[in-house]
Structure formats: C-alpha cells, structure tokens
Amino acid sequence: MSVLGPVLIVVLTVAVMEGVAYSVHRWIMHGRFGWGWHKSHHEDRHGPFEKNDLYAVVFAGVSVLLFALGGRWWPWMWWVAVGMTAYGLIYFVVHDGLVHQRWPFRYVPRRGYLRRLYQAHRLHHAVEGRDDCVSFGFVYAPPVDGLKTRLRASGVLAQRQSRHHDAWRPDRGED
Ligand SMILES: [Zn+2]
Ligand SMILES: [Zn+2]
C-alpha cells in the first residue's frame, strides 16, 4: 500500500463515522431502544460519568476488534480502526470537551464554525426528553438559524423561554 492508501482510508472513515454517529444518535439513542443509556446525557450528571458513556465504550470496543483483525489479516482494516479512533478523539474534544466542558477549563468559542457547532449542540439539548430534538451530528452542524426556526415551529423554543428564562440560549447555561 502506498502512503496515499492509508491517508485516504483514515479520512474516509472519519467522514463515514460522522454519518454513523448521526444515525445512531438520531434513530437508536433517541429511539426506544437506545434512550435508556442516552437519557442520562440529557439530564444533570451526577459524578464524573454518565450511562451514556457506555456508547463510547462500545465504539472503542469495535475499533479494538478492527485493530486486532486488521493487524492479523487485513492491513486496510487496521487503518479503518485508526480512522475510528481519530473520530473518537474529535468527538471527545468537540462534544465532551468544547460543548459539555468535561475538562478542567472553560472555553466557549465566540466565532466561526466552532461557535456554530457549539450552539447547534446546545440547541440539541434545548429540548426536554427524546422527541423533537434537532441537530444530531457531532462534527457537522447545520446553520443555527434554521435549527431555531424548527424549534420555534415545534413550540420548544418559546416554551423554554417563558419557563426557564434564558436557559435555552445556546451560548449560555448548562444542559
Ligand atoms: Zn441526544
Ligand atoms: Zn451532548
């Protein structure tokens, strides 16, 4: 394999993983089947961990398996595992770190794409419960204005606004 092969596999895997994560988040985690674990992520956290972290453990388990199989038989699969690991790191930095501040410092992006990503995911958490949520991706975030329009259309934004004041605002407050 030339050097281009591995690079291509890693980049493609990261892109595909965003699609996989979006789908799992939208239809499994927010579905009847997966909400049991994911619910903890939409509630206040007690202690350093939440049940939802088990999803990360499952994904880590899959990549360990791919590393093992790839290392033994299929080199390309080993690079897929590298891509999955890279996606996991990106996910950790932007979702757990940037948005939910599960690290010992506070940094809120004020401009550019990171701000949009931050706000979009806060809006994902603006809805209580598992239905009517928006923005299921973790690395790609749709424009924030469109998300707000959808939340207003389903009555979520106005509702939250009167009940919790500013709590819905994506650039402030906690979950
Ligand atoms: Zn969610
Ligand atoms: Zn979140």
Side-chain angles (χ1 to χ4, degrees):
M1 226 179 334
S2 79
V3 79
L4 195 65
V7 170
L8 214 65
I9 295 173
V10 170
V11 170
L12 267 173
T13 303
V14 169
V16 168
M17 276 309 294
E18 171 66 0
V20 170
Y22 176 98
S23 308
V24 167
H25 187 197
R26 180 161 185 180
W27 289 293
I28 295 178
M29 295 161 116
H30 278 257
R32 212 166 302 169
F33 180 72
W35 181 244
W37 283 4
H38 190 55
K39 186 172 184 273
S40 62
H41 182 59
H42 283 260
E43 293 170 343
D44 289 336
R45 192 184 316 122
H46 308 286
F49 296 109
E50 47 195 49
K51 215 172 184 181
N52 182 61
D53 294 333
L54 290 170
Y55 282 110
V57 174
V58 170
F59 275 109
V62 173
S63 58
V64 165
L65 187 72
L66 296 189
F67 269 123
L69 295 176
R72 184 84 173 75
W73 290 292
W74 304 288
W76 63 268
M77 193 182 273
W78 193 86
W79 288 105
V80 169
V82 171
M84 272 189 82
T85 307
Y87 182 82
L89 288 175
I90 296 168
Y91 166 85
F92 178 77
V93 170
V94 296
H95 177 262
D96 289 56
L98 205 63
V99 182
H100 294 296
Q101 274 123 33
R102 293 176 79 178
W103 51 24
F105 59 94
R106 187 172 169 79
Y107 166 71
V108 177
R110 293 286 166 212
R111 61 186 67 79
Y113 181 74
L114 283 182
R115 177 186 154 88
R116 165 166 145 182
L117 191 65
Y118 179 91
Q119 291 193 322
H121 194 70
R122 294 237 75 104
L123 287 170
H124 174 71
H125 284 278
V127 182
E128 269 174 55
R130 75 177 167 102
D131 300 319
D132 299 320
C133 287
V134 294
S135 187
F136 291 89
F138 295 106
V139 175
Y140 171 74
V144 169
D145 283 345
L147 296 175
K148 284 184 180 167
T149 308
R150 277 168 55 198
L151 285 172
R152 270 193 210 98
S154 58
V156 171
L157 221 46
Q159 232 176 295
R160 290 281 292 195
Q161 221 171 343
S162 52
R163 268 195 296 143
H164 292 284
H165 221 50
D166 267 347
W168 63 274
R169 283 188 54 170
D171 48 352
R172 317 171 151 205
E174 291 308 315
D175 314 317

